[in-house]
Amino acid sequence: MESRIRNFVIIAHIDHGKSTLADRFLEITGTVSARDMKEQYLDSMELERERGITIKMAPVRMEWKGVELNLIDTPGHSDFSYEVSRALKAVEGAILLVDVTQGIQAQTLANLEMARQSGLKVVGALNKVDMNPPGVEELRGELAKLIGVEPQEIHRISAKTGQGVEGLLDSVVSDVPAPKSGKEMEALIFSSLYDEHKGIIAFVRVFGGEFRKDQRTKLQAVGENFKVKEVGFFAPQLEVMESLKTGEIGYIATGVKDPDRILIGDTIGERGLPGFKLPKPVVFVSLYPDEGGDYDDLKVALDKLHLNDSALEFTPDSSQVLGRGFKCGFLGRLHFEITMQRLEREFGLATVNSFPSVAYKVIKRGGREEIVENARDFPDDPEKALEPIVKLNVLTPSEYLGSVLGLNKFYRMRDVQTGNAGRNIKVEARLPLAELIMDFDDKLKSVSKGFASFSYEPVGYEEAELRRLDIYIAGELVPGLSRVVYKEDVEREGRRMTEKLRDLLPKVQFVQALQAKVGGTIVARENVKALRKDVTGALYGGDITRKKKLLEKQKKGKKKLVGMSRVSVPPEVFRELLKR
């Protein structure tokens, strides 16, 4: 039976066409009829179709020339690299897809390296050849060299028109090895989905044994036993089967309702497969409902998002100014942005958020070490502070190399090295994670006109001179605007933030004093002028004392307003403050 199965993934950079290629596979194999077909069929969320990126992995089973093909469509962004790594463990082969108009990108190289480490058979394909761009054969040779095959083994396809796609499917059948059979009952969880009636549905690859309905089995990482409610495969909708056998990819309905019990990379069965780890959040943001009364709605929304996104972490948080909210952990900035948009789109919730922060290690007086994930908890005068560092890999066309290296003026890029990578230049550097999550992606796209790409991986912690910068508006601390900055940058950043706030904050009926403070020291100060209403406009001539009385009354009213005011910083102001 296993000899008639091929399990594979498509790995590619964002926008290189992996979802469109999956669409053509579904059409050509007759898995989805032309009438039911829609673009990016396997992308489960409207947001994915709109942004053109795949976040949630959607598996599908197809038949091609008597062989069962199981495809996993993986995310293509560094934030989701752990999900990709577990998907690669579930298969024997990978299609490495490269857009001929953009060439080999940084994340392509990162995912290829993961595929090699997993021992996968890699099949190369150049997409969008229908556009007839120059240099296709040169790129074909480059990709062949990268994979270690002859140039003629690299497929030239158009996922849009279907050109060459049947030949690519034939190569999957002929080149990707069939799964090996195992004796122990083992099924690897590579994704999951929440269902009101069936509980959490685990997407699995069976490595050994056979799983059936009503069978008792175990989640190895958490040590929890459960009774299987249902098993089946993806067509791509859920199709019930009697059993899931060795080598197959399908689903197991667990009946478990707690998303923290079903973990990506865990094993269902008699023993745990190697390589499991908990994905760790690297970006931390405190979220508060825009209207104080929406706290319960925000909790319900985050709970629902967590059911299908176990990497999202959140704990209750509170602020004197912003009220009750949640401290959330994300896999990266894209993960954070997608979650914010889902809260708005799917639940109609507007939120106010703190500055994105990273997990700092702080050594306090007396030698006690603690992890600080929220900027407002960073101590005034730590004995020592360490920040997380990433290894950055940038691929850029040679004509933009100078501009990319020029980013050193804005970011603390260290140990910069350059080298050839086919027709591109590879730039390697070390960079503080806090700098990466600010706006590095936007800046890189800007200086390279969108042609450069990057991937990153954490490499540990390094000591740094850091201070907490607080912002006060009208004498009131705004916790969401607190940031951890380098000691040498406190005055410059303080000035930058107060000047930006002066220009961005909406005017109210009293002067808003803006102060940037480090410890008890004011390092920058600005004012937002009052919105002036002409209360004497209706008086034409007449007694001057009447005008004075009205102006005095307005002055007292403004003083009262200052005392009653609640500082409100619109979400778009936070977004603007993130830009350099």
Side-chain angles (χ1 to χ4, degrees), residues 199-219:
I200 295 170
I201 296 171
F203 297 7
V204 298
R205 153 69 191 276
V206 181
F207 279 89
E210 190 174 348
F211 291 84
R212 294 177 174 273
K213 183 182 176 181
D214 294 331
Q215 186 179 30
R216 298 290 303 179
T217 188
K218 187 177 183 179
L219 293 161

Side-chain angles (χ1 to χ4, degrees), residues 104 137-147 421-424:
I104 295 161
E137 287 308 311
E138 182 191 347
L139 183 57
R140 196 180 193 184
E142 201 179 308
L143 185 57
K145 187 178 177 184
L146 193 63
I147 296 173
R423 54 182 175 180
N424 285 324

Side-chain angles (χ1 to χ4, degrees), residues 68 164 230 232 375 383 505 535:
E68 176 189 307
E230 184 180 290
E383 189 171 305
L505 279 178
V535 292

Side-chain angles (χ1 to χ4, degrees), residues 19-127:
S19 294
T20 308
L21 179 58
D23 290 346
R24 293 296 78 72
F25 284 166
L26 295 176
E27 271 186 349
I28 289 168
T29 59
T31 308
V32 176
S33 67
R35 186 186 61 198
D36 296 330
M37 198 66 207
K38 60 187 174 189
E39 284 190 10
Q40 291 175 252
Y41 195 97
L42 296 179
D43 289 353
S44 53
M45 289 187 279
E46 175 198 343
L47 205 55
E48 292 180 325
R49 292 194 181 92
E50 189 176 296
R51 292 186 67 138
I53 54 173
T54 306
I55 300 149
K56 197 68 182 173
M57 292 184 279
V60 65
R61 178 179 293 188
M62 303 171 285
E63 288 279 332
W64 182 247
K65 298 184 177 177
V67 176
E68 176 189 307
L69 302 180
N70 290 304
L71 164 67
I72 301 171
D73 189 15
T74 62
H77 194 278
S78 294
D79 284 6
F80 306 100
S81 57
Y82 176 69
E83 285 197 24
V84 175
S85 73
R86 299 321 286 161
L88 297 182
K89 292 288 184 190
V91 298
E92 284 75 36
I95 292 173
L96 184 64
L97 190 67
V98 173
D99 180 341
V100 289
T101 65
Q102 295 186 50
I104 295 161
Q105 303 284 295
Q107 194 59 38
T108 316
L109 292 178
N111 286 348
L112 174 61
E113 187 54 38
M114 280 199 280
R116 279 186 174 141
Q117 288 171 5
S118 299
L120 304 190
K121 169 63 182 176
V122 179
V123 178
L126 294 178
N127 190 22

Side-chain angles (χ1 to χ4, degrees), residues 133-400:
V136 174
E137 287 308 311
E138 182 191 347
L139 183 57
R140 196 180 193 184
E142 201 179 308
L143 185 57
K145 187 178 177 184
L146 193 63
I147 296 173
V149 297
E150 294 299 316
Q152 58 268 27
E153 293 179 61
I154 301 297
H155 293 261
R156 294 163 45 114
I157 70 161
S158 167
K160 185 179 177 182
T161 67
Q163 176 189 339
V165 174
E166 287 193 14
L168 183 56
L169 281 170
D170 289 339
S171 277
V172 171
V173 171
S174 61
D175 298 349
V176 173
K180 294 174 183 172
S181 58
K183 293 174 184 174
E184 302 273 357
M185 286 272 292
E186 294 169 331
L188 173 73
I189 302 172
F190 60 86
S191 191
S192 65
L193 183 70
Y194 183 80
D195 183 275
E196 288 284 348
H197 307 292
K198 300 170 188 173
I200 295 170
I201 296 171
F203 297 7
V204 298
R205 153 69 191 276
V206 181
F207 279 89
E210 190 174 348
F211 291 84
R212 294 177 174 273
K213 183 182 176 181
D214 294 331
Q215 186 179 30
R216 298 290 303 179
T217 188
K218 187 177 183 179
L219 293 161
Q220 288 293 325
V222 294
E224 182 164 324
N225 293 294
F226 69 94
K227 187 165 85 170
V228 176
K229 293 194 74 138
E230 184 180 290
V231 299
F233 68 96
F234 308 95
Q237 69 280 2
L238 304 186
E239 289 282 344
V240 180
M241 297 170 68
E242 275 190 25
S243 68
L244 266 184
K245 299 184 179 72
T246 301
E248 291 185 317
I249 284 177
Y251 71 88
I252 295 175
T254 65
V256 176
K257 295 291 178 87
D258 181 358
D260 292 327
R261 312 305 286 169
I262 309 291
L263 304 170
I264 305 301
D266 192 7
T267 308
I268 296 175
E270 294 170 353
R271 66 172 186 179
L273 291 159
F276 170 74
K277 64 177 183 179
L278 286 169
K280 288 185 179 176
V282 296
V283 175
F284 301 90
V285 183
S286 288
L287 301 182
Y288 304 93
D290 208 12
E291 300 295 329
D294 288 341
Y295 172 83
D296 291 332
D297 294 340
L298 181 57
K299 184 180 187 307
V300 168
L302 288 171
D303 277 331
K304 286 185 176 176
L305 289 181
H306 184 54
L307 292 174
N308 291 327
D309 182 2
S310 58
L312 171 65
E313 290 187 2
F314 60 96
T315 53
D317 193 19
S318 65
S319 153
Q320 282 184 320
V321 178
L322 299 171
R324 292 192 302 162
F326 295 92
K327 186 179 80 174
C328 301
F330 303 94
L331 297 176
R333 190 172 165 192
L334 178 70
H335 188 206
F336 158 62
E337 287 176 355
I338 291 288
T339 305
M340 292 301 95
Q341 289 183 26
R342 289 188 70 189
L343 284 172
E344 195 173 330
R345 290 274 186 86
E346 296 173 31
F347 303 97
L349 290 175
T351 57
V352 176
N353 56 271
S354 66
F355 262 104
S357 180
V358 298
Y360 294 99
K361 283 183 182 175
V362 172
I363 314 295
K364 291 191 167 180
R365 304 289 172 194
R368 188 164 59 88
E369 179 182 303
E370 66 177 55
I371 301 290
V372 176
E373 295 169 351
N374 193 318
R376 73 164 188 251
D377 298 328
F378 196 88
D380 281 337
D381 190 21
E383 189 171 305
K384 191 161 74 169
L386 298 98
E387 63 177 348
I389 303 294
V390 297
K391 181 186 176 187
L392 186 69
N393 289 302
V394 178
L395 276 190
T396 178
S398 56
E399 59 264 38
Y400 300 111

